[in-house]
Amino acid sequence: MIIRLFLLLLLPRALGRTRSPMCLMKKLFPTHPDYYRQGDHVIGGILSQVISMLDLETFRQPPLPWYIKYFMLVPKNYQHVLALVFAIDQINWDPALLPNITLGFRIYESFFSPRKTYESAFTLLSTRAIMIPNYKCDRKDQLAAVIGGLGAETSLQMATVLGLYKIPQISYGSFHTMLSDKLQFPSVYQMVPNETLQSLGLVRLLQHFRWTWIGLITSDDDSGEKFGQALKRMLTRNSICVAFTERAPLVPSSSMDYAFRELHIKLHATISQTTAEVIVVYGDMDSLLGLKMFLHASSQAALMPIGKVWITTAQWDFTSSIALNQWTLKPFHGALSFAVHTEEVPGFLGFLQALNPYQPRGDIFIQRFWHSVFNCSILNTSLTIKGGRNCSGKEELAGLPGSDFEMKMSSQSYNIYKGVYAVAHALHALYSSKAKKEATGKGPQWELQNIQPWELHPFLKNVRFNNSAGDDVYFDENGESSSGYDILNWIIFPNESFVRVKVGHVDPRAPLGQEFTINEAAIVWNSKFNQTVPRSTCTESCRPGFVKTIREGEPLCCYDCVPCPEGTISSQADAAHCDQCPEDQYPNRDQDTCLPKTVVFLAYGEPLGCAFASFALLFSLLTAWVLGICIKHRETPIVRANNRELTFLLLLSLLLCFLCSLVFIGRPGRVTCLLRQTAFGIIFSISVSSVLAKTVLVVLAFRATTPGARTRKWVGKRLAGSVVTSCSLIQVGICSGWLGTAPPFPDLDLTSEAGHIVVRCNEGSNAAFYCVLGYLGLLALVSFTAAFLARKLPDAFNEAKCITFSMLVFCSVWVAFIPTYLSTTGKYMVAVEIFSILASSAGLLGCIFLPKCYIIVLRPELNTREQLVRKPKSGSLNYELSSF
């Protein structure tokens, strides 16, 4: 073996590039591809169909040649070989793509082993019958590119060898982040889209179903570690938590592998005890073979809890069956998986139907495949079954279960098909660019040239074409495919057959907003969920109206639910915060939606407004009746006494006071807002000024009866008019200043009453409003004081007593008005003011004019001058009035 390694590594350098000596060594180091076909340009293939258990070196004896201890065939992967052969046949039959140039192939088996992958890569660099890199005896069979790498690690091993020779390598099975580094691996092109896109699609899928609590199982290698770290960061940014992270178990070396048994128990305990209903699995067929064995063993032992939603990545086809050990698929019923986007390739079905094990045409795989999947003997070969039937060659591939073989091109086979065509189009562009096309009388011809593999790189980087399936094929600047992912739903039947249904896609080339789509109605879930969307959360979702509060020391997805604060809502489940409603809306009782606020004001149609309007009209009619009586009996002593003009003015102002309250009822407008407080203030000023004038006249009248009194000249209409006019003008001035600086205006009160928009009059200036009230209070206080001091003046009918009592009522009403007004909101503020207007006006009317009306209407005999000017005594008019 040492001599062989010496010759392999050192002898080529000593002999240089001479062909002849190396050709003589074919007999010393024979090696052959598993399946080959000659051509002007050769596409190499390092594919994986057999899982082998190889004897490992112990270094206690000289290394032996490769020795397969035993192997397990993966029949489903035979389609990869067929896809490569089919694509090359299609290209060779196409006169326009590579005219006068044929493509050949050399296919090697990698046995899912990095060690064997190295050997196959070096063999591709050698002449077809001997593994001596750098030396070729063949005049043809120029290696153009290599397609291979079902697993991420296999792709990396190939890139390490082929990159030294700048040979284009097209990886078809798994994406490896390191291979995107164009400085380290400039010769690698990956037909599998970048895993970032798959991770984004995975996050969008979890968000769509609101799965925030998931388990994660990754392959026990570098790719699994990097994927897990990148995915966790992405999940954290999107508020999705990982309940547990486990590494997939490796295939046990023997039935007595205690490490595998311990890992089996630990993994089973983790999965059975977790509350996560969704488990994401990442890895390829090689790295996840132990996981599938674990699931099969758990299912057979009735240990595996059913009902989990498995989400697998595109690198793993868990339906790949192994001929010598049929493993159950039942745990994956209802699973979702990502798969590289595929299209239906015309002609491939007919190509498969024409296969015959007795016409292999150099294909050494077909007979072993046929023997394994149909369980029959191949005549004239060592592939026999004792007592079994012989293969006829007419067995139907379509009748095989999907775990053995599928008639539809798989995603890996489709990547191989696209990769072969990408090389062909790059060769087409290379020949065209070199101007090797010669025009002859027979038409355009291409002359075969000695083209080196590294010359294809500029053309592979820029290749872009539509294949026969109508798919747009090209590589981005990192040598990665631009295709997207399909989302498949797996339905496993009791007989272990299955159907995969496309239920969504992740397409970076789709229009904005349509990059991710999912057809939820087409998904069949595990029977545990009774065809309802599974829930996978750490805690029960917070219903609308509640907000999440994170539990201290636990993941973000584990939280408690507390009601939203008063005045806020949360309209979605699991809300992170509560929101304020718009100003014209308010929260409903459950605080999960906003309702439009009702516009309210003191309207005539509602009971309170109707009652106030009725009382205002009633008192207005009563005031008018009193005014009519006084006018009718204006010549009587009781009306003439104490200035009948003031009496008429007081009654008229009281009538206007009652009518003024009607302006406060109804929807406020610009005019009504201007009139409300100003009309009220001025009219009440006139009323109180009239009362004050009456009080002053009573006092001056009694003083004028004293002989030689100087006050006699003040008694008369001039004094009364002066008092009323001067006092009223002050209020008019206050109101004019108010209207000139900050007049009242209609306004909407959105906050004072929950669920209502109060239409009100904004006073504009609260200071001016309280100045109006304060001035009225001052007039009332002066009137009350004057009347109180004059209440004991001698006379049969002393009006000062009536005025005193009326002012007491008036002041009491308005003193109570201020705190009540300030403590109410909305339309009830208006109601309080209307009540105060009606009550105070009614107090003035009743206390001052009710005794007079009693005498005029019921006791006319007392309405004489003698009765009014005589001194009061027991049983007199004064007594009767007081008793009344």
Side-chain angles (χ1 to χ4, degrees), residues 676-879:
R676 277 185 180 183
Q677 305 298 351
T678 54
F680 152 72
I682 293 173
I683 293 172
F684 260 76
S685 296
I686 295 174
S687 300
V688 179
S689 299
S690 301
V691 174
L692 178 61
K694 275 181 169 287
T695 307
V696 172
L697 286 179
V698 170
V699 175
L700 292 179
F702 277 97
R703 288 183 175 274
T705 57
T706 304
R710 297 181 181 180
T711 58
R712 181 184 297 271
K713 62 180 179 179
W714 295 101
V715 179
K717 297 180 181 179
R718 182 179 300 176
L719 176 62
S722 299
V723 172
V724 173
T725 303
S726 59
C727 292
S728 300
L729 285 177
I730 294 175
Q731 187 72 289
V732 170
I734 295 174
C735 292
S736 299
W738 183 7
L739 296 177
T741 55
F745 58 91
D747 192 15
L748 299 178
D749 183 1
L750 303 172
T751 59
S752 62
E753 292 188 15
H756 296 95
I757 299 176
V758 180
V759 184
R760 66 182 181 90
C761 285
N762 190 311
E763 307 303 345
S765 172
N766 289 326
F769 173 65
Y770 289 113
C771 283
V772 170
L773 291 181
Y775 182 69
L776 283 178
L778 177 63
L779 288 178
L781 183 62
V782 172
S783 298
F784 172 75
T785 303
F788 180 79
L789 295 175
R791 72 187 187 283
K792 294 184 178 181
L793 293 176
D795 197 355
F797 182 75
N798 187 355
E799 195 176 25
K801 294 181 180 180
C802 298
I803 294 174
T804 301
F805 192 69
S806 67
M807 285 295 101
L808 181 61
V809 172
F810 185 91
C811 292
S812 301
V813 169
W814 288 103
V815 168
F817 162 78
I818 294 176
T820 308
Y821 181 83
L822 295 176
S823 62
T824 55
T825 58
K827 62 181 181 180
Y828 297 105
M829 294 181 67
V830 180
V832 169
E833 190 167 359
I834 294 175
F835 175 80
S836 299
I837 292 173
L838 294 177
S840 59
S841 301
L844 291 178
L845 179 65
C847 294
I848 296 176
F849 292 100
L850 189 58
K852 292 184 178 182
C853 291
Y854 170 75
I855 294 175
I856 294 173
V857 177
L858 299 179
R859 300 293 300 275
E861 70 275 7
L862 299 178
N863 191 7
T864 62
R865 182 177 176 81
E866 292 76 14
Q867 290 292 333
L868 293 176
V869 298
R870 70 180 179 83
K871 293 183 180 180
K873 61 181 179 179
S874 178
S876 67
L877 174 65
N878 194 51
Y879 176 77

Side-chain angles (χ1 to χ4, degrees), residues 274-292:
T274 182
T275 58
E277 298 288 355
V278 176
I279 300 177
V280 177
V281 181
Y282 172 84
D284 53 32
M285 182 177 175
D286 188 18
S287 60
L288 295 180
L289 186 62
L291 176 63
K292 192 172 179 183

Side-chain angles (χ1 to χ4, degrees), residues 293-308:
M293 182 183 295
F294 158 75
L295 294 177
H296 173 76
S298 299
S299 178
Q300 294 300 311
L303 295 175
M304 190 64 187
I306 61 172
K308 299 298 182 182

Side-chain angles (χ1 to χ4, degrees), residues 359-380:
Q359 298 175 5
R361 293 181 295 181
D363 185 354
I364 69 169
F365 301 111
I366 187 171
Q367 292 184 342
R368 183 170 295 279
F369 166 79
W370 214 273
H371 164 73
S372 299
V373 297
F374 290 112
N375 195 27
C376 59
S377 300
I378 305 294
L379 298 177
N380 303 320

